Amino acid sequence: GEDPEIRRVALNALGDRAGTVVVMDPKSGRVYTVVNQDWGLRRGFKPCSTIKLVSALAGLNEKVIDPVQTVNIGTSSFSLDLTDSLAFSNNGYFQRVGGQVGFEKMMEYARKFGLGRPTGINHHFESPGRLPVFKEGYAVNHMSSHGDDIEVTALQLANMASAIANGGQVLVPHLPRTPEENVKFKREVKATLDIPQDHLRRVIPGMVGAVSY
């Protein structure tokens, strides 16, 4: 049931590196391919800088971030706005944001995007990932830029990116196992985010910039 051409492109992109690729339609939830299902669905990994998307949207929604205002970074002589901070994956910017948002709110937004729980994909033994129970002080800041003590699957990240791209709907991913399943496939919305469309759109240029840079 996977799309053979998309799978071929994904395999070529991964090359001889150990890893996984998940390709998902952000509007429908259909998963076109998962290269290495064990790593893509069944094992959690530290999200590293991808957690900055959660930090960014938490910061926007909690009015910690003014999206067009530049912020001085540490003791350095330069400043960055939200888009550049995402594009260049600046740790200092998101550590500052996470510290101001606070641990409980950060976890609240992580859960909104489905982190720490199964996506509900139609495959067995999906990993739910893991969210930390408690952090305080600078540990919250560092978690907000590096994803410390958080585990996510590549599928959860694809689902989170899809929710940002489609305007705030967290979908139930579906990976067809046969051509017949493709025909019967129906879009299923798991949750609708209470995050303004403008905030979701604000992070997309930074996501594009991260790929470009």
Side-chain angles (χ1 to χ4, degrees), residues 65-143:
I65 295 175
D66 179 336
V68 296
Q69 183 182 24
T70 58
V71 175
N72 290 324
I73 306 300
T75 57
S76 57
S77 59
F78 68 93
S79 58
L80 295 173
D81 63 10
L82 173 62
T83 296
D84 284 342
S85 296
L86 282 169
F88 294 104
S89 193
N90 184 272
N91 293 328
Y93 183 96
F94 291 102
Q95 287 171 8
R96 172 184 164 276
V97 169
Q100 291 184 1
V101 170
F103 176 75
E104 293 298 334
K105 281 290 181 182
M106 279 292 298
M107 292 300 96
E108 181 182 315
Y109 283 91
R111 286 189 289 270
K112 285 179 192 289
F113 281 102
L115 304 187
R117 61 189 66 174
T119 65
I121 192 170
N122 57 323
H123 277 247
H124 296 303
F125 310 117
E126 178 192 5
S127 169
R130 179 171 60 86
L131 294 175
V133 176
F134 177 76
K135 282 184 181 292
E136 63 181 353
Y138 180 71
V140 179
N141 302 45
H142 203 267
M143 175 196 73

Side-chain angles (χ1 to χ4, degrees), residues 122-201:
N122 57 323
H123 277 247
H124 296 303
F125 310 117
E126 178 192 5
S127 169
R130 179 171 60 86
L131 294 175
V133 176
F134 177 76
K135 282 184 181 292
E136 63 181 353
Y138 180 71
V140 179
N141 302 45
H142 203 267
M143 175 196 73
S144 304
S145 62
H146 288 69
D148 296 346
D149 299 317
I150 296 172
E151 284 186 4
V152 300
T153 64
L155 178 67
Q156 287 173 326
L157 291 179
N159 216 25
M160 179 173 73
S162 294
I164 294 170
N166 70 29
Q169 292 191 316
V170 180
L171 304 176
V172 177
H174 182 86
L175 180 60
R177 288 164 290 196
T178 64
E180 290 74 25
E181 278 196 31
N182 273 339
V183 176
K184 296 178 181 178
F185 168 71
K186 290 184 180 179
R187 181 175 184 269
E188 184 179 349
V189 178
K190 190 171 188 177
T192 299
L193 299 173
D194 55 347
I195 296 175
Q197 295 269 330
D198 184 56
H199 289 171
L200 294 167
R201 286 193 291 266

Side-chain angles (χ1 to χ4, degrees), residues 2-36:
E2 292 195 2
D3 185 299
E5 178 61 16
I6 292 177
R7 184 172 180 84
R8 183 187 67 78
V9 172
L11 281 165
N12 287 342
L14 189 61
D16 60 0
R17 293 179 291 271
T20 179
V21 180
V22 176
V23 184
M24 175 177 166
D25 184 336
K27 293 182 179 179
S28 71
R30 182 192 166 186
V31 178
Y32 290 107
T33 189
V34 179
V35 177
N36 191 343

